[in-house]
Amino acid sequence: MLSTAARWFGRLYALVMNLPERPMRWAQGHLPDGRLGWLFVGPNLAIFGVFTFLPIVIDFYYAGTGGTNLLPTERPWVGTENFSSLLACKDYFDPNSCVRDQFWYAIWNTSKFVVLQVALMLVFSLTTALVLNRKIIGRGFFRAAFFYPVLLSPVVVALIWKWVLQRDGVLNAALVGGGMQPVEWLLGARSAFGWTVFVSIWAHMGFYTLILLAGLQAIPADIYEAASMDAAPPWRVFRRITLPLLMPSVLVVFVLGLIRAVQIFDEVYVLTGGGPGSATTYLVEFIYNTGFSSQVRQYGLAAAASLLLAGVLLVLTLVQLRGMRGTKGDSRG
């Protein structure tokens, strides 16, 4: 009985798998070669258009409308009013002088976060890659250990560290066990900001370390052998050989780190919720709060802020592409 069922299942499976055969044979016989490729990429382009291009068009429309209604037909057209509201400031260095002060607090928090996180990420990733590129005991284990956090969901990472840093968490338990007082790690503005930087580096450093490690392994060993024959000191070898040849990989890590840091959201939202106050409210969280979690949902304002963020990301992407072309041109020269 089992064999009969398996036979019927096999026939049904073969029938379903052979259904596209006749249409594809017809297409191969009647469509020119230039159009046949569109038949294969068409479904993917349709899905990409529905879930990528259509939301972008909707975002532009919502950025030009006002009100709190969700349906597009119930939203009045206001033109560039949302952008003007976001950018209206007497002093751009003083968020309190801006009409949308929370937006500018989010920009300044994001700017500080990006500068600190990307700089430390580069230093730690490069140092780790240099160490893991040497012949050390347990090198394979340490490479896997450093890359493991990258495989975790950002929400899982934030929940782990929230469990460690909360008042009754692991870190305070260790402090109390050592005779010290517990610390409110996530309730102080500076400490909460510092921990968001640390957790972000811990979660993503393995990915950038892997890129730099691949760049180090692509450097020819003959160059280092020539340097050792000339008795060049390690610091000079790093400064004159390793770092210049590693600059294409460093540039990629720098720009990718910038793009990821500007979009920081998941870990911070779960870890601190943007608090205390607005100390860890970054740009993406401002957009989310404005459009989805506040009592008065201002979809147009959130859409305008997201387009400004998209403009920043577009500039960073163009910088990356230009930098990669420049490094390719230098290598050819």
Side-chain angles (χ1 to χ4, degrees):
M1 184 176 180
L2 183 61
S3 60
T4 303
R7 244 190 340 263
W8 278 104
F9 177 78
R11 291 176 182 176
L12 180 62
Y13 178 80
L15 179 64
V16 172
M17 292 295 105
N18 290 330
L19 282 177
E21 183 178 357
R22 289 189 177 182
M24 293 306 299
R25 285 186 177 180
W26 179 89
Q28 289 177 350
H30 293 80
L31 293 178
D33 295 338
R35 295 182 180 179
L36 187 61
W38 291 102
L39 183 65
F40 292 95
V41 301
N44 289 331
L45 288 177
I47 295 173
F48 192 74
V50 170
F51 292 101
T52 301
F53 291 116
L54 183 59
I56 293 175
V57 173
I58 294 174
D59 199 34
F60 272 100
Y61 176 79
Y62 271 77
T65 59
T68 58
N69 295 320
L70 179 61
L71 294 178
T73 55
E74 299 177 358
R75 298 183 58 81
W77 183 259
V78 297
T80 60
E81 183 178 319
N82 290 317
F83 294 97
S84 300
S85 177
L86 289 173
L87 300 176
C89 279
K90 293 181 180 179
D91 182 4
Y92 289 102
F93 294 97
D94 181 14
N96 291 321
S97 68
C98 301
V99 174
R100 301 292 177 181
D101 57 340
Q102 289 299 317
F103 174 70
W104 285 96
Y105 275 119
I107 286 182
W108 281 110
N109 289 340
T110 305
S111 301
K112 291 187 293 184
F113 176 86
V114 167
V115 171
L116 187 59
Q117 195 260 7
V118 172
L120 292 177
M121 179 81 77
L122 272 174
V123 172
F124 291 142
S125 298
L126 181 57
T127 303
T128 307
L130 290 171
V131 173
L132 295 180
N133 193 46
R134 300 173 65 89
K135 295 181 180 180
I136 59 176
I137 300 174
R139 182 172 61 176
F141 168 79
F142 287 112
R143 287 179 178 178
F146 275 98
F147 188 74
Y148 178 73
V150 180
L151 304 178
L152 298 177
S153 165
V155 175
V156 173
V157 169
L159 288 175
I160 291 173
W161 281 101
K162 191 171 186 179
W163 173 65
V164 172
L165 297 172
Q166 62 189 354
R167 181 174 179 81
D168 299 327
V170 176
L171 187 54
N172 276 332
L175 293 178
V176 172
M180 292 180 283
Q181 294 295 322
V183 179
E184 300 286 359
W185 299 106
L186 300 178
L187 294 184
R190 291 186 177 181
S191 61
F193 177 82
W195 279 111
T196 59
V197 174
F198 172 81
V199 171
S200 176
I201 293 174
W202 183 87
H204 304 294
M205 188 181 74
F207 174 71
Y208 302 112
T209 299
L210 189 65
I211 295 176
L212 294 174
L213 186 59
L216 287 172
Q217 293 179 349
I219 299 176
D222 299 343
I223 301 178
Y224 291 111
E225 292 177 1
S228 64
M229 292 177 64
D230 293 338
W235 172 247
R236 182 173 294 179
V237 171
F238 173 76
R239 189 165 57 91
R240 296 291 182 88
I241 297 177
T242 303
L243 197 57
L245 294 177
L246 195 62
M247 280 308 296
S249 299
V250 172
L251 178 63
V252 170
V253 167
F254 176 71
V255 178
L256 290 179
L258 273 178
I259 293 173
R260 184 185 288 274
V262 170
Q263 299 179 87
I264 186 70
F265 173 70
D266 309 69
E267 298 100 323
V268 177
Y269 184 75
V270 176
L271 187 64
T272 65
S278 59
T280 58
T281 299
Y282 302 123
L283 194 52
V284 176
E285 186 168 351
F286 168 82
I287 295 170
Y288 173 79
N289 291 336
T290 303
F292 299 102
S293 68
S294 61
Q295 292 183 349
V296 180
R297 299 180 178 179
Q298 304 178 67
Y299 301 108
L301 206 63
S306 68
L307 289 177
L308 293 176
L309 175 61
V312 173
L313 296 177
L314 179 61
V315 170
L316 293 177
T317 303
L318 293 177
V319 169
Q320 180 190 14
L321 293 176
R322 176 134 190 189
M324 292 180 67
R325 289 176 183 173
T327 53
K328 287 181 180 179
D330 294 341
S331 62
R332 284 175 190 157

